[in-house]
Amino acid sequence: MEETDVCHSIPVVCVLHQASPDNCPAKTLGPNERLTLGVQALAGHQTISGLADDAGVSRKFVYQQADRAQAALDDAFAPTVADDQVLFQLPITKNWLKQAALALTLICHSSYRGVHEFYRDVLGVNMAVGTVHNLVRDAIDKARPHNRSQHLANVSIAGLDEIFQNRQPVLVGADIHSTYCFLLSAEDQRDGDTWALRLLECQDRGFAPKATIADFGTGIRAGQKRALPGTPCRGDVFHARHELTPVVTFLENRAYDTITAQDKLERQRAKLQQQGRRNQSGQRASLSRKVAAAATEQAKAITLADDVAVLARWLGADVLAVSALAYADRCALFDFIVAELQARVSQCPHRLGPVGTLLKNHRDQLLAFALQLDEDLAKLAVDFEVPVASVRDLLDLQTLDKRQPLRWQKEAVLREQLRGRFEQIEQAVRALSAQVVRASSIIENINSRLRSYFFLRREVGSGYLELLQFFLNHRRFLRSEHPERVDKSPAELLTGQPHPHWLEMLGYSRSCRN
């Protein structure tokens, strides 16, 4: 059986030989056919001449495939390499030392003194801290033109935010879809004038997004209103939910505390009753009043915690979710949730008061994504010439668990309605829902990556930020939750055009091992 499995023929070679335009069957053989030919030659069940005749190739070609197969087997079963064995050689030049120092600084987040120590202890080379500093300054001068020459017309939805380093504000802006950071500027102020000035500078490079998304900072919104008066600024859903979630946790913990306190009083009263002493009647009466008051507080705390938890769940799972709920219905439910929260402010004013005010003042910004979603669903229905209700039902179908019978029942009804267009419309709705932007999560991601560089130095100048901006925009992703981003840089995702390695863009020639 083993011989039969290994020694099988190549039926396609004759056809390939006849179809080959230059009468060279060896060129038409694919990787699988070449592999099979090499394995048969190694197996020895058929002569080399016979294999060459059957495949219509030369004996030399068969020997070549056999050698490649043998080399692969030798490599697979090669003994373990010793730790002191030389694997390869790398030509060390001044150019290599410079780019390695820059790579240690940007890729490995190393400090200048860390680079100096690495060269001293690992390579035995004395590279002064000042030399590392000069290399970085030289890289800044080379990176600056790349940042300022990038056209920003492809930025569709921009995320805006502010971070701080040593109490100095840093303005950040990035394209949501490609993660390209088009703004990274250290400023003295973060008011509307400063934001407007930086956004106007971006406009000179073609910056004209359909919408922006940001938190509820007054400086960001005032600056955009001046620089981009016709562009809507959506509210960041994450910040709204982030404000409400701790309130739910606080109220739940407070309810547990009241349960603990009431249980403690109950045990004290039971202990007094077991003792049964006459002179403790007054103490028992006082303790009974405390138990009754604690029970009342416990009931109120549990009710409040449950009510707010339900309201928060409605807000996150229905109002602020990507679902088929119409914009008008979202607004009505949003107003109801805010009214219910404000009705309970007196029970926990320091927690519920700020959250209720935040939601009430920014309803339109938080639900701006839903208004756009309604418009996109209506346009999709017109394009496919189907009712809007059917498109909404398809969007609602995606939110249902595949393990629920209800989902398959609804899908059967929609398949009956849409017939042969079901798959096509479903894919279009799925693609539309995947493009809905509700939060500036990309900005938060960029901020977290910047923090790992900021901690290395107390002050961050504009030049250092320009180098970080260049590096983050031209470094290719090693992994991502979005497959289309893997092995591509934000600049490539924004423009759709490839670019050299970021070290080569800075003027370095990468060395190859020997």
Side-chain angles (χ1 to χ4, degrees), residues 2-3 6-8 10 33-49 51-52 59 61-77:
E2 293 178 354
E3 294 178 357
V6 174
C7 184
H8 52 84
I10 312 176
E33 287 77 13
R34 292 169 183 256
L35 172 63
T36 303
L37 191 61
V39 171
Q40 289 180 345
L42 292 179
H45 297 294
Q46 192 175 357
T47 63
I48 299 297
S49 299
L51 290 174
R59 297 173 69 252
F61 180 80
V62 177
Y63 278 119
Q64 290 176 348
Q65 308 314 307
D67 292 340
R68 296 182 64 181
Q70 185 63 53
L73 287 173
D74 293 341
D75 182 67
F77 293 97

Side-chain angles (χ1 to χ4, degrees), residues 169-186:
V170 178
L171 310 187
V172 187
D175 177 40
I176 296 297
H177 296 297
S178 66
T179 74
Y180 184 89
C181 179
F182 60 83
L183 175 62
L184 189 61
S185 176

Side-chain angles (χ1 to χ4, degrees), residues 99-169:
Q99 63 178 290
L102 196 59
L104 287 171
T105 303
L106 295 177
I107 298 177
C108 303
H109 304 248
S110 177
S111 63
Y112 293 168
R113 295 190 180 278
V115 175
H116 164 75
E117 185 177 357
F118 172 83
Y119 277 109
R120 183 196 66 188
D121 296 347
V122 178
L123 300 180
V125 176
N126 183 21
M127 178 173 286
V129 176
T131 303
V132 181
H133 171 79
N134 293 335
L135 289 174
V136 173
R137 299 305 303 181
D138 180 65
I140 291 173
D141 295 335
K142 296 177 181 178
R144 185 178 292 114
H146 293 287
N147 291 337
R148 298 182 179 180
S149 63
Q150 181 62 62
H151 200 58
L152 303 177
N154 291 338
V155 177
S156 177
I157 300 179
L160 307 176
D161 200 4
E162 304 161 346
I163 57 177
F164 293 86
Q165 170 64 11
N166 194 27
R167 299 182 180 179
Q168 181 183 14

Side-chain angles (χ1 to χ4, degrees), residues 210-222:
K210 298 178 182 178
T212 63
I213 184 167
D215 57 20
F216 308 108
T218 56
I220 296 178
R221 296 184 174 273

